[in-house]
Amino acid sequence: PKAKVLRPQGGYSINVDFSDYGLSDEEVVDKIYGKAGVILNSGLFFDDLRGKQVHRACLSSPRALCLEAFERIAKEFEGK
């Protein structure tokens, strides 16, 4: 619930900002990639100011796959 989708600039991808969780960059990366097992694009490439707190999701995959990925991520951030 604290993750924010940044205003899309067109295309089929979104940037999700996890900074309101108050976690370190390493903790955010571990929750998304290590524990949820979801591969997103690191914000370091797209947003120098927020770095590893922002991750880009490609929404060109089937809807069911995108929903599963975000549900797995949400589960890792529950109660944080």
Side-chain angles (χ1 to χ4, degrees), residues 28-39 76:
V28 170
V29 167
D30 182 54
K31 285 184 175 298
I32 296 169
Y33 299 82
K35 294 179 178 158
V38 176
I39 303 299
E76 292 304 321

Side-chain angles (χ1 to χ4, degrees), residues 15-78:
N15 292 326
V16 183
D17 182 350
F18 293 91
S19 61
D20 282 352
Y21 283 97
L23 301 171
S24 70
D25 290 347
E26 292 76 20
E27 289 171 311
V28 170
V29 167
D30 182 54
K31 285 184 175 298
I32 296 169
Y33 299 82
K35 294 179 178 158
V38 176
I39 303 299
L40 303 177
N41 292 316
S42 170
L44 290 174
F45 184 74
F46 304 103
D47 190 333
D48 291 342
L49 297 176
R50 287 172 260 216
K52 293 182 182 178
Q53 295 290 318
V54 174
H55 296 268
R56 181 172 281 194
C58 176
L59 302 179
S60 63
S61 297
R63 185 176 194 270
L65 188 61
C66 292
L67 287 173
E68 178 188 337
F70 284 114
E71 286 170 358
R72 288 170 30 195
I73 292 170
K75 182 178 177 183
E76 292 304 321
F77 283 87
E78 283 180 358

